[in-house]
Amino acid sequence: MRVITKIQDMQTEIINLKSQSKSIGFVPTMGFLHEGHLTLLKRAREENDIVVLSIFVNPLQFGPTEDFSTYPRDFDRDQSLAECEGVDYLLYPSVEDMYPHPSSVKVIVQERTNVLCGKSRPGHFDGVATVLTKLFNIVLPTRAYFGKKDAQQVAVVEGLITDFNFPIELIPVDIVREDNGLAKSSRNVNLLPDERRQAVTLYKSLSAAKETIYRGERNPRTITSLISNMIRSETNGEIDYVEIYSYPQLKELETIVGTCIIAIAVKFSKVRLIDNIILEVSQEIGGAK
Ligand code: AMP
């Protein structure tokens, strides 16, 4: 595995690989790798000649009061894990290299951002789309791997790839969870021990919602109340949102039917966690997968 810190060096390598018609699987991350990231890397390893992992904590996608400075980082550990997963190139650019001067152009995401994290984190998806546009142009991937844990991000990236004609196949990958259901996240390390126990309620409440839909409930408000009540009674977390939309369009639903996402965000003392489930729901009772 080669660690590359200079964008230009990465571009030189990629041009060489492209001239040999190698397929390139790309996994963009902010590091502090866990099994969620490793699952993306495994999938990329299976499906491509070359695997590129990027680690870049992108300041553009953090709001002024968010956790950019406390976002967990451990490059040495990440490097060993990446090596074990058979990564060929680890792109690890500095902020100065990615943003050497104030940008003259940035990408603005216009659709699917007025809800969920797009609503509570203004500018977040513009930052994500801008950095991904840069990374896609640097890495020129054949396939790019994203986790459904960030389901709104998957929807936004789908729009970015389509609208900007990136010749990239987007591969969404299922959420990887701990045995107790908690979605793996780099941020989990910033939960206090008691909050870590409480955080299990996020998935528990989503599973209860799924069961209730399975038994025939189709009213979004009933389901969001059920989830909110569970989170309020079992955690000290502050609910940022509990919402249900069509997926991937992220449009409001009068009735829970079709492909829909139930998504939640909860703020604990030092960290805000997100989770979701995506369901296929038919009109009939029992018609949820
Ligand atoms: P991050 O480092 O948090 O920016 O995540 C990098 C990529 O890993 C994103 O595509 C995430 O959606 C994905 N990811 C993070 N956590 C998980 C998880 N628990 N399961 C699956 N994918 C994940």
Side-chain angles (χ1 to χ4, degrees), residues 27-31 33-37 39-40 61 71 145-151 153-154 173-177 183-187:
V27 180
T29 77
M30 299 202 296
L33 301 181
H34 53 70
E35 266 172 62
H37 300 115
T39 303
L40 268 58
Q61 69 192 64
Y71 195 86
Y145 296 80
F146 290 87
K148 292 190 206 166
K149 161 136 186 302
D150 301 278
Q153 175 170 271
V154 171
V173 178
D174 285 344
I175 300 178
V176 177
R177 299 181 179 280
K184 302 253 183 193
S185 166
S186 307
R187 288 185 165 101

Side-chain angles (χ1 to χ4, degrees), residues 247-266:
Y247 191 83
Q249 302 82 2
L250 302 181
K251 298 282 183 218
E252 268 185 42
L253 292 170
E254 280 303 309
T255 307
I256 302 174
V257 74
T259 308
C260 37
I261 182 166
I262 311 178
I264 59 186
V266 178

Side-chain angles (χ1 to χ4, degrees), residues 4-289:
I4 297 196
T5 55
K6 293 281 164 240
I7 290 169
Q8 223 180 349
D9 294 347
M10 187 80 247
Q11 288 184 301
T12 308
E13 287 292 325
I14 294 288
I15 286 163
N16 182 28
L17 293 164
K18 287 274 171 187
S19 72
Q20 301 167 50
S21 302
K22 301 279 190 199
S23 61
I24 297 172
F26 179 40
V27 180
T29 77
M30 299 202 296
F32 209 70
L33 301 181
H34 53 70
E35 266 172 62
H37 300 115
L38 304 187
T39 303
L40 268 58
L41 289 172
K42 284 188 173 65
R43 184 83 191 270
R45 183 66 286 167
E46 278 164 25
E47 296 176 355
N48 301 277
D49 299 323
I50 299 293
V51 175
V52 179
L53 162 70
S54 67
I55 295 181
F56 181 62
V57 185
N58 174 34
L60 239 56
Q61 69 192 64
F62 287 79
T65 61
E66 293 180 358
D67 57 348
F68 177 72
S69 61
T70 56
Y71 195 86
R73 294 159 168 91
D74 186 344
F75 182 71
D76 291 344
R77 183 172 155 274
D78 287 350
Q79 193 175 340
S80 322
L81 288 169
E83 204 129 28
C84 289
E85 295 304 329
V87 169
D88 298 293
Y89 294 94
L90 198 178
L91 175 62
Y92 184 53
S94 64
V95 173
E96 293 67 36
D97 209 23
M98 284 293 275
Y99 304 115
H101 45 72
S103 312
S104 55
V105 179
K106 75 172 179 178
V107 181
I108 310 277
V109 184
Q110 319 213 72
E111 294 263 322
R112 303 166 178 169
T113 50
N114 57 343
V115 295
L116 305 175
C117 293
K119 191 168 162 197
S120 43
R121 304 182 69 187
H124 169 68
F125 285 113
D126 297 344
V128 169
T130 301
V131 79
L132 285 177
T133 299
K134 289 171 71 77
L135 289 169
F136 286 166
N137 282 326
I138 295 163
V139 176
L140 304 178
T142 317
R143 299 181 188 85
Y145 296 80
F146 290 87
K148 292 190 206 166
K149 161 136 186 302
D150 301 278
Q152 189 173 17
Q153 175 170 271
V154 171
V156 165
V157 174
E158 197 259 319
L160 177 72
I161 287 178
T162 305
D163 287 10
F164 283 4
N165 304 95
F166 283 108
I168 299 172
E169 187 183 352
L170 167 65
I171 314 276
V173 178
D174 285 344
I175 300 178
V176 177
R177 299 181 179 280
E178 296 184 358
D179 290 342
N180 60 19
L182 177 65
K184 302 253 183 193
S185 166
S186 307
R187 288 185 165 101
N188 289 350
V189 75
N190 285 338
L191 288 166
L192 303 176
D194 201 34
E195 291 176 336
R196 212 186 161 91
R197 281 187 286 278
Q198 295 172 15
V200 173
T201 296
L202 271 65
Y203 184 60
K204 227 172 93 187
S205 68
L206 289 171
S207 303
K210 179 177 164 179
E211 264 309 299
T212 309
I213 294 169
Y214 189 71
R215 286 201 302 272
E217 182 58 64
R218 294 289 185 271
N219 185 336
R221 279 166 293 278
T222 309
I223 296 297
T224 52
S225 305
L226 170 102
I227 296 172
S228 302
N229 290 340
M230 266 181 89
I231 293 173
R232 283 200 197 96
S233 66
E234 295 182 22
T235 81
N236 299 328
E238 180 199 332
I239 294 175
D240 184 355
Y241 61 72
V242 174
E243 290 171 22
I244 302 182
Y245 295 107
S246 63
Y247 191 83
Q249 302 82 2
L250 302 181
K251 298 282 183 218
E252 268 185 42
L253 292 170
E254 280 303 309
T255 307
I256 302 174
V257 74
T259 308
C260 37
I261 182 166
I262 311 178
I264 59 186
V266 178
K267 285 181 188 159
F268 289 92
S269 55
K270 291 201 212 105
V271 58
R272 175 181 171 280
L273 298 185
I274 58 170
D275 201 350
N276 72 79
I277 48 173
I278 296 172
L279 302 173
E280 302 286 339
V281 186
S282 64
Q283 298 274 7
E284 308 89 57
I285 290 176
K289 268 199 280 188

